[in-house]
Amino acid sequence: MRKLIIIAFSIAALITGVIKGQTHSDITYSTGTSLEVQTGADVCANNIYINGVWAGGGSICTGALPVSLSSFTHSTNKRTVTLMWVTEWELNNSGFEVERTPLKAEGGKDEWQKIVFISGKGTTNTANGYMYKDENLKTGKYKFRLKQIDLSGNYEYYELQDEVSVAPPGKFDIGQNYPNPGNPNTKINFEMPVNGKVHIVVYDILGREVVTLLNEDREADYYTVELNGSNIASGVYFYRIYAEGEGQKFTKTMKMIIVK
């Protein structure tokens, strides 16, 4: 059954704001007007005045911002930055492009890079939460922003107020390879808290050296190396890291499996 809503007052400020590059005039409906707004065919203007009947599943709004963003925050865990944002409502929201730029020296030009697109909820008057994890970042400082895009191609930017800092590791470490088993390729993360020499070697189950993944100097930072297992047999292997720098030394051995 069609839901009818009798409106006998001025709708003046349900939604406020301005879409970049788009303007709206006032809309006035005379007394006795019968207005039908189909789902998806939303009616928006700076001010809408209705004295009559409004029916249908569409939306009536004033102003033009396609979303109301109530929060945009972040958290950092080693080299992973988690972005979180909440909308109070959305109007024809296609979604959000997440963009990142390294923090430049004063006067430097930002170099924004799109890293992912997160789909929006279209049109909704309920709160919605979003989250994205930006992983495997290098040590440094960054800025993030959202480019919100509506279904008509209009867009608006929302910039994270805080700068994001990815600090150097606090200690030497090496992680479990992933995926494990490798089929046949697999990656290994390791951490250097100081500048120094790092040596990573893969051995078979008999202790014979299979391949040297890394043998060079590296600066303090987070790193990832990849093993191409296409030329070795399926089975159990071990990988060992030996790192040293600024009077510190670190050795650790981990097990991994290669399947084909």
Side-chain angles (χ1 to χ4, degrees):
M1 177 181 295
R2 178 179 295 171
K3 183 177 181 181
L4 300 181
I5 302 177
I6 306 298
I7 303 179
F9 55 89
S10 167
I11 301 177
L14 291 179
I15 302 174
T16 58
V18 177
I19 289 181
K20 187 173 183 177
Q22 181 173 332
T23 60
H24 297 269
S25 59
D26 293 351
I27 297 177
T28 302
Y29 293 94
S30 303
T31 301
T33 297
S34 177
L35 176 65
E36 182 171 346
V37 184
Q38 298 291 342
T39 300
D42 306 289
V43 176
C44 291
N46 292 331
N47 295 287
I48 299 177
Y49 304 93
I50 300 176
N51 290 290
V53 177
W54 168 40
S59 299
I60 289 182
C61 65
T62 57
L65 271 182
V67 304
S68 175
L69 201 71
S70 60
S71 67
F72 184 21
T73 60
H74 82 281
S75 63
T76 304
N77 181 18
K78 293 187 176 181
R79 62 193 301 197
T80 297
V81 174
T82 301
L83 302 173
M84 298 156 286
W85 63 99
V86 177
T87 61
E88 294 182 353
W89 46 257
E90 302 178 25
L91 175 65
N92 288 335
N93 180 25
S94 175
F96 304 88
E97 288 184 0
V98 180
E99 299 183 355
R100 177 187 68 226
T101 181
L103 190 65
K104 299 293 185 179
E106 186 174 352
K109 184 178 180 181
D110 289 333
E111 299 176 358
W112 292 101
Q113 175 189 6
K114 174 187 171 182
I115 52 179
V116 72
F117 178 80
I118 305 295
S119 296
K121 305 298 183 182
T123 297
T124 175
N125 60 1
T126 60
N128 287 281
Y130 297 86
M131 181 178 73
Y132 175 71
K133 289 187 177 183
D134 194 11
E135 301 178 315
N136 299 328
L137 291 169
K138 291 291 188 180
T139 297
K141 294 184 178 181
Y142 301 89
K143 294 195 296 184
F144 288 86
R145 70 183 183 185
L146 303 174
K147 182 180 180 182
Q148 185 279 323
I149 306 172
D150 71 16
L151 295 175
S152 299
N154 301 301
Y155 60 89
E156 187 73 24
Y157 287 106
Y158 300 87
E159 188 165 330
L160 186 67
Q161 294 303 306
D162 301 326
E163 67 178 39
V164 177
S165 179
V166 178
K171 63 179 181 179
F172 287 105
D173 200 7
I174 189 167
Q176 183 65 56
N177 65 296
Y178 63 95
N180 188 32
N183 184 22
N185 293 1
T186 188
K187 295 180 179 181
I188 301 169
N189 294 333
F190 67 96
E191 302 174 11
M192 297 282 291
V194 295
N195 299 344
K197 184 84 171 182
V198 58
H199 189 212
I200 301 178
V201 181
V202 176
Y203 300 90
D204 65 18
I205 199 168
L206 298 178
R208 297 173 298 194
E209 183 175 328
V210 176
V211 60
T212 297
L213 293 179
L214 195 65
N215 186 24
E216 60 187 49
D217 292 325
R218 289 290 178 99
E219 296 181 351
D221 210 336
Y222 300 91
Y223 295 98
T224 301
V225 292
E226 183 170 1
L227 168 66
N228 182 348
S230 59
N231 294 323
I232 63 177
S234 298
V236 176
Y237 293 86
F238 297 90
Y239 57 97
R240 177 180 296 167
I241 183 173
Y242 176 78
E244 61 177 337
E246 299 183 12
Q248 302 181 54
K249 295 183 178 181
F250 174 71
T251 301
K252 188 174 182 179
T253 302
M254 306 280 288
K255 183 173 75 173
M256 69 178 175
I257 300 173
I258 300 295
V259 297
K260 297 181 180 181

